[in-house]
């Protein structure tokens, strides 16, 4: 299991490597140089490799031991009484025990090695983190000190003089002819790579831009825009490679191979950073598609913003190149501090200029402030996230500039450059997401219109994937090492233990997929029951809805159980925790649980069904839906009332439809004492039978309810086929009764009083005042 690192030879054995790592983490922390950080980083990589190899060996050996243990267990337990087991079985059991003893030793050793290596990796990570933090927060001379400038000029002069002497020696030395030939080749490559490449790039971009402007079809314009980006990227990459191959030819004659290879690689990376910045600015500010412009500016501001973004890319490229020079100690400390302060001040000024442009952006309220503060109309349908980012950028610039001027130049440079790169990564992710959304929208409106429901969900998935890819990049930008992130992802893959339960990303993914499949299958079963199976039976709509709802609950519970069983998780050790949580949730969600239980009872006992006409308290109406927590009631005014299910179980409910759809209605009527009661009763029955919604059987009838002070109180009773139409029938009967009573001369009395005087005074009927 001995491993070799990227550079240098590894120790001869795992024990020697672990011993070396243990000595490294036990040594006093007094060396914070870049060389020491580089050495510990390589050591950490070798120990991590050893840990992975030991873990793989332990896993493979564990499988073999489990197979042997299963074979031994197949013979059953060892008999308590000697010689009660056949000799062949005993011999085979002993042979398997001997093999298991031989195999389990290396497995245990591999586990011990993996555990020790894992601990040492964590210790090395912690040590490297402290060393980087110490360098990051170390104090250097302030660039405001004039002595720093004098020392920097002296240092760079010496370096330039040394480089000039080296190249002059090579130019006039024994290999002068080869050096001069390489210089000529480098000059030709630079001309071909930069001049001709720039001319060809400008010509092709102009041609594609004319195609974009002339094309009326959005898909073609999008395709041309993609072609524009690809052509620009290819030509710029070729130009950069040609230029830096020329630089490599020049450096090869005056530097060792390892040095000029590393320097050339850094120069190429720096150039690619500048190239990405040159592409990003036009893409997010000047795209021919408004949907792809992350920040919408006027044309003049957009062109200026593109230039600023390009300059910010150049700042990051210079910082990348300067980091290599600083790491290899090719510059003095004074010159390094001065260049770091210059990078911070230049980058901070550019960021402030960019925020000033973004303040004049088109806002989501449909307005934009121009240079004079006047409102400029705009059409924007995106969230305004630029305002908060502007404020964060201004705070970062203030902190970085203050730290640089006070002498904490490493901290200032790290914060500022990390902010610039983070903004670029986020902008690229948002641009890609907007591009994917635009392409899918065009597809949904065009040839794939029939699948638009599914297509509109794809941007959510792409956004999730881009987010998962962006977060590790941001973590690396802000100081986390890639090895730490890889270890974290490995921990997600192998599993994270919570108590005695071990979760892994695979378990979570398996659970999600199985549950999703079960949920979709449940919905399909509900749809089949509702559309094909239940209509074949003589069930009312309420019973069918109840069966479909119960099938949904059962399907979701079964999907969850199958998903848990598929992952192989054992929650028995967490039973006590789940029990305590259930008690707490029971008290906190008492009303929710009560309503849920009441909903299940309603679906099973069905005292109230969908379509029933009920009265609950002060509310009355038709039941439209019984859900898990509440019941939806539609009133006669077409208003919906949400009633908790517990009120339908614990309270008094008048169900007008429980006995069937037929319902009885009553229409009170009062007549005078002088009226013919038999004729009046016959007239009322005639009126009821004449209405088309009144049933013939049971037949209408009239009752005499009492003798009032002014009238005889009658009550007409009749039956309707649908109780929900009762209110309308009652109104129709009242109108008809009022008209027929008037035709027949039947008096509908009103309250009257007879007044009598009990004194002997004569009352003059003609009266005086």
């Amino acid at each position: 299991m001995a491993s070799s690192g990227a550079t240098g030879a590894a120790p001869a054995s795992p024990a020697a490597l672990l011993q070396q790592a243990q000595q490294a983490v036990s040594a006093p922390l007094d060396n914070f140089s870049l060389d020491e950080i580089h050495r510990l980083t390589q050591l950490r990589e070798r120990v991590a490799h050893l840990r992975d190899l030991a873990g793989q060996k332990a896993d493979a050996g564990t499988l073999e031991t489990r197979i042997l243990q299963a074979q031994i267990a197949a013979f059953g337990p060892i008999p308590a009484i000697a010689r009660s087991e056949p000799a062949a079985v005993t011999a085979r059991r002993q042979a398997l025990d001997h093999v298991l003893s031989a195999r389990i030793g290396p497995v245990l050793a591999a586990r011990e090695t993996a555990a020790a290596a894992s601990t040492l990796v964590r210790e090395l990570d912690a040590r490297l983190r402290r060393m980087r933090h110490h360098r990051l927060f170390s104090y250097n001379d302030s660039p405001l000190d004039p002595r720093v400038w004098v020392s920097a000029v002296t240092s760079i002069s010496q370096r330039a003089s040394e480089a000039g002497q080296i190249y002059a020696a090579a130019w006039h030395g024994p290999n002068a002819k080869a050096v001069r030939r390489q210089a000529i080749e480098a000059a030709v490559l630079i001309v071909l790579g930069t001049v001709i490449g720039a001319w060809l790039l400008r010509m092709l971009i102009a041609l594609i831009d004319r195609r974009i402007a002339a094309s009326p079809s959005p898909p073609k314009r999008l395709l041309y825009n993609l072609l524009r980006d690809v052509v620009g990227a290819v030509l710029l990459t070729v130009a950069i490679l040609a230029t830096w191959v020329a630089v490599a030819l020049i450096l090869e004659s005056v530097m060792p191979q390892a040095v000029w290879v590393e320097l050339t690689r850094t120069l190429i990376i720096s150039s690619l950073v500048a190239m990405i910045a040159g592409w990003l600015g036009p893409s997010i500010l000047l795209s021919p598609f408004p949907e792809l412009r992350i920040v919408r500016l006027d044309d003049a501001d957009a062109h200026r913003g593109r230039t600023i973004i390009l300059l910010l890319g150049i700042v990051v490229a210079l910082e990348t190149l300067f980091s290599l020079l600083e790491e290899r100690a090719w510059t003095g400390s004074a010159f390094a501090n001065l260049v770091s302060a210059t990078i911070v001040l230049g980058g901070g000024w550019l960021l402030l200029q960019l925020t000033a442009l973004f303040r004049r952006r088109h806002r989501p309220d449909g307005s934009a402030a121009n240079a004079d503060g006047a409102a400029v109309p705009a059409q924007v349908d995106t969230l305004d996230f630029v305002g908060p980012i502007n404020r964060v950028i201004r705070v970062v610039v203030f902190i970085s500039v203050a730290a640089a001027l006070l002498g904490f130049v490493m901290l200032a440079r790290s914060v500022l450059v990390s902010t610039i790169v983070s903004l670029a990564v986020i902008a690229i992710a948002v641009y890609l997401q907007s591009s994917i959304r635009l392409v899918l929208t065009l597809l949904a409106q065009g040839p794939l219109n029939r699948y638009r429901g599914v297509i509109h969900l794809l941007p959510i998935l792409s956004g999730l994937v881009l987010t998962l890819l962006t977060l590790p990049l941001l973590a690396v930008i802000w100081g986390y090492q890639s090895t730490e992130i890889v270890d974290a992802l490995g921990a997600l893959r192998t599993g994270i233990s919570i108590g005695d339960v071990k979760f892994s990303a695979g378990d979570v993914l398996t659970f999600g997929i199985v549950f999703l499949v079960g949920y979709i299958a449940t919905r399909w079963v509900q749809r089949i029951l509702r559309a094909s199976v239940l209509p074949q039976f003589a069930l009312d709509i309420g019973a069918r809805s109840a069966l479909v709802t119960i099938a949904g609950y059962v399907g979701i519970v079964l999907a969850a159980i199958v998903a848990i069983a598929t992952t192989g998780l054992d929650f028995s050790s967490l039973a006590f925790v789940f029990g305590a949580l259930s008690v707490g949730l029971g008290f906190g969600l008492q009303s929710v649980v009560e309503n849920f239980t009441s909903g299940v009872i309603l679906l099973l006992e069905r005292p109230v069904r969908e379509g029933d006409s009920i009265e609950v308290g002060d509310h009355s109406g038709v039941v439209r839906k019984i859900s898990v927590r509440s019941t939806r009631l539609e009133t006669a005014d077409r208003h919906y009332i949400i009633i908790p299910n517990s009120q339908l179980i614990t309270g008094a409910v008048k169900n007008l439809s429980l006995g069937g759809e037929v319902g009885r209605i009553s229409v009170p009527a009062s007549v005078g004492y002088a009226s013919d009661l038999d004729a009046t009763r016959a007239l009322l029955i005639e009126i009821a039978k004449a209405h088309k919604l009144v049933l013939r059987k049971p037949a209408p009838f009239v009752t005499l309810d009492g003798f009032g002070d002014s009238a005889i109180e009658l009550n007409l009773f009749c039956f309707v086929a649908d109780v929900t139409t009762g209110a309308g029938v009652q109104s129709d009967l009242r109108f008809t009764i009022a008209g027929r009573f008037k035709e027949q001369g039947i008096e509908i009395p009103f309250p009257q009083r007879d007044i009598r005087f009990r004194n002997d005074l004569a009352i003059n009927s003609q009266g005086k005042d």
Side-chain angles (χ1 to χ4, degrees):
M1 293 188 298
S3 62
S4 59
T7 59
S13 66
L17 178 59
L18 295 178
Q19 181 66 26
Q20 180 182 354
Q22 186 174 356
Q23 292 175 356
V25 299
S26 302
L29 188 58
D30 52 4
N31 185 1
F32 301 96
S33 64
L34 289 172
D35 291 337
E36 179 66 12
I37 293 176
H38 185 64
R39 185 184 72 84
L40 291 182
T41 301
Q42 289 185 331
L43 179 61
R44 190 259 183 212
E45 292 177 357
R46 294 197 298 271
V47 175
H49 184 59
L50 174 63
R51 176 200 59 191
D52 295 338
L53 290 178
Q56 293 173 4
K57 184 175 181 179
D59 292 339
T62 301
L63 177 61
E64 295 178 359
T65 56
R66 286 201 303 266
I67 293 174
L68 291 171
Q69 289 171 350
Q71 291 175 337
I72 296 172
F75 295 110
I78 299 176
I81 302 176
R83 297 183 180 180
S84 61
E85 185 178 55
V89 175
T90 303
R92 183 58 180 165
R93 187 197 301 275
Q94 292 176 350
L96 290 175
D97 283 335
H98 179 73
V99 175
L100 179 62
S101 300
R103 296 289 178 82
I104 203 169
V107 173
L108 295 178
R111 288 180 181 175
E112 293 175 1
T113 301
S118 179
T119 303
L120 289 172
V121 165
R122 289 195 297 269
E123 293 294 330
L124 286 170
D125 285 337
R127 190 178 184 89
L128 287 169
R129 195 177 301 114
R130 289 194 298 268
M131 296 174 68
R132 293 189 182 98
H133 286 178
H134 181 273
R135 286 185 54 82
L136 187 64
F137 291 94
S138 61
Y139 175 78
N140 305 103
D141 294 330
S142 172
L144 300 178
D145 189 350
R147 293 174 297 180
V148 174
W149 290 78
V150 174
S151 179
V153 171
T154 303
S155 175
I156 196 64
S157 298
Q158 292 177 353
R159 299 291 182 180
S161 176
E162 293 173 359
Q165 292 175 3
I166 293 174
Y167 200 79
W171 187 266
H172 299 288
N175 297 325
K177 186 176 181 179
V179 172
R180 293 171 184 175
R181 185 181 67 254
Q182 289 177 344
I184 295 173
E185 294 173 353
V188 172
L189 280 175
I190 291 176
V191 171
L192 293 177
T194 57
V195 178
I196 298 178
W199 173 80
L200 185 60
L201 175 63
R202 184 182 298 273
M203 184 185 66
L204 291 177
I205 293 298
L207 177 61
I208 296 175
D209 286 341
R210 288 195 297 269
R211 293 280 188 178
I212 293 176
S215 177
S217 173
K220 287 185 178 180
R221 292 172 58 205
L222 185 61
L223 183 61
Y224 281 133
N225 189 64
L226 177 61
L227 180 63
R228 181 181 186 274
D229 291 340
V230 172
V231 169
V234 170
L235 289 178
L236 285 176
T237 302
V238 172
I240 289 171
L241 291 177
T243 302
W244 294 119
V245 166
V247 174
L249 290 175
I250 297 175
L251 297 178
E252 183 182 8
S253 58
V254 296
M255 291 184 180
Q257 181 180 4
V259 175
W260 70 259
V261 167
E262 186 174 7
L263 181 58
T264 304
R265 183 173 64 245
T266 305
L267 291 172
I268 293 175
I269 294 174
S270 302
S271 301
L272 290 176
V273 168
M275 183 191 74
I276 293 173
W279 162 82
L280 183 61
S283 298
I284 66 175
L285 299 180
L286 293 168
S287 175
F289 291 88
E291 298 87 351
L292 300 183
R293 297 185 183 183
I294 299 177
V295 182
R296 301 189 181 182
L297 303 172
D298 295 333
D299 290 341
D301 288 342
H303 283 86
R304 187 180 177 192
R306 178 189 63 180
T307 303
I308 293 175
I309 292 175
L310 176 60
L311 293 176
L312 285 172
I314 294 175
V315 167
V316 176
L318 292 176
E319 194 276 338
T320 303
L321 178 60
F322 183 72
S323 296
L324 175 65
L325 300 179
E326 185 181 24
E327 180 180 352
R328 295 307 177 193
W330 293 340
T331 62
S333 60
F335 180 74
N337 294 339
L338 189 59
V339 172
S340 297
T342 304
I343 291 175
V344 171
L345 294 177
W349 181 80
L350 290 172
L351 283 177
L352 291 179
Q353 294 297 312
L354 193 63
T355 58
L357 286 180
F358 287 170
R359 282 199 298 269
R360 297 197 292 270
R361 70 196 181 280
H362 297 293
R363 294 183 174 85
D365 58 359
S367 64
N370 58 20
D372 300 329
V376 178
Q379 297 295 329
V380 178
D381 55 359
T382 57
L383 295 176
D384 182 22
F385 59 89
V386 181
I389 291 180
N390 268 355
R391 290 189 286 271
V392 172
I393 291 175
R394 289 195 293 269
V395 172
V396 168
V397 170
F398 174 79
I399 293 175
S400 300
V401 172
L405 295 179
L406 291 175
F408 297 94
V409 290
M410 292 292 296
L411 175 63
R413 195 177 74 187
S414 176
V415 170
L416 187 74
V417 173
S418 298
T419 301
I420 297 173
V421 178
S422 299
L423 292 174
V425 170
I426 295 173
I428 292 173
V430 174
Y431 178 79
L432 293 177
Q433 175 66 8
S434 301
S435 302
I436 294 172
R437 185 186 296 111
L438 178 58
V439 171
L440 293 176
T441 301
L442 294 176
L443 291 176
Q445 295 174 353
L448 301 180
N449 183 263
R450 58 182 299 183
Y451 304 108
R452 60 185 180 276
V454 177
I455 290 176
H456 288 320
L457 296 177
L458 294 180
I460 300 176
L461 179 61
S462 64
L464 178 61
V465 172
L466 286 174
T467 301
L468 294 178
L469 293 177
T470 302
L471 290 178
L473 290 177
L474 294 177
V476 171
I477 290 169
W478 286 96
Y480 285 91
Q481 299 300 307
S482 58
T483 52
E484 296 177 299
I485 296 177
V486 170
D487 287 346
L489 295 177
L492 291 177
R493 180 179 59 84
T494 57
I496 300 175
S497 298
I498 302 178
D500 293 335
V501 180
K502 192 174 185 179
F503 296 92
S504 68
D507 293 336
V508 175
L509 183 61
T510 302
F511 176 86
I513 293 175
V514 174
F515 183 79
L516 180 61
V517 171
Y519 179 81
I520 295 174
T522 300
R523 291 305 184 194
W524 273 101
V525 170
Q526 287 182 294
R527 184 175 300 179
I528 293 172
L529 288 175
R530 185 183 296 109
S532 302
V533 178
L534 295 180
Q536 306 298 325
F537 298 91
L539 298 175
D540 57 79
I541 186 173
R544 283 183 282 179
S545 299
L547 290 175
V548 170
T549 304
I550 293 174
Y553 294 155
V554 173
I556 291 176
V557 172
L558 289 177
I561 294 175
V562 172
I564 294 175
T566 304
T567 57
L569 298 177
D570 182 14
F571 291 97
S572 59
S573 59
L574 298 180
F576 177 77
V577 177
F578 289 156
L581 289 176
S582 63
V583 173
L585 292 175
F587 283 108
L589 303 176
Q590 183 176 0
S591 61
V592 177
V593 175
E594 181 182 7
N595 289 321
F596 176 81
T597 306
S598 301
V600 175
I601 294 174
L602 288 175
L603 293 173
L604 294 176
E605 294 187 358
R606 299 178 61 231
V608 175
R609 301 164 297 180
E610 292 186 11
D612 285 357
S613 180
I614 64 173
E615 294 180 2
V616 182
D618 298 332
H619 307 294
S620 62
V622 179
V623 177
R624 293 305 181 195
K625 183 174 179 59
I626 300 176
S627 62
V628 69
R629 189 195 66 84
S630 62
T631 296
R632 187 181 302 173
L633 191 68
E634 183 183 5
T635 66
D637 299 330
R638 301 295 182 183
H639 298 159
Y640 283 93
I641 300 175
I642 309 300
I643 301 175
N645 290 331
S646 58
Q647 293 186 15
L648 301 178
I649 296 297
T650 59
V653 180
K654 183 178 181 181
N655 192 335
L656 304 179
S657 306
L658 185 61
E661 297 297 332
V662 177
R664 191 183 74 172
I665 60 175
S666 64
V667 181
S670 299
V671 298
Y673 278 92
S675 301
D676 186 349
L677 294 181
D678 292 334
T680 303
R681 178 173 59 181
L683 179 61
L684 290 174
I685 294 175
E686 178 187 350
I687 292 171
K689 289 182 177 180
H691 198 285
K692 61 181 181 179
L693 295 181
V694 175
L695 299 177
R696 301 297 182 185
K697 292 182 180 181
F701 62 94
V702 178
T703 62
L704 195 154
D705 291 346
F707 299 95
D709 294 338
S710 305
I712 299 176
E713 299 172 355
L714 304 176
N715 209 340
L716 171 63
F717 291 95
C718 55
F719 294 86
V720 293
D722 188 355
V723 70
T724 59
T725 63
V729 174
Q730 285 176 321
S731 177
D732 293 341
L733 293 177
R734 289 191 184 99
F735 275 109
T736 305
I737 289 171
R740 295 293 297 277
F741 276 13
K742 186 176 181 180
E743 293 175 359
Q744 299 294 330
I746 299 175
E747 179 187 4
I748 300 177
F750 52 87
Q752 301 178 13
R753 296 290 182 269
D754 291 337
I755 301 176
R756 297 179 178 225
F757 293 94
R758 302 185 61 183
N759 54 24
D760 297 333
L761 295 177
I763 301 176
N764 189 355
S765 59
Q766 297 179 357
K768 296 181 180 179
D769 294 340

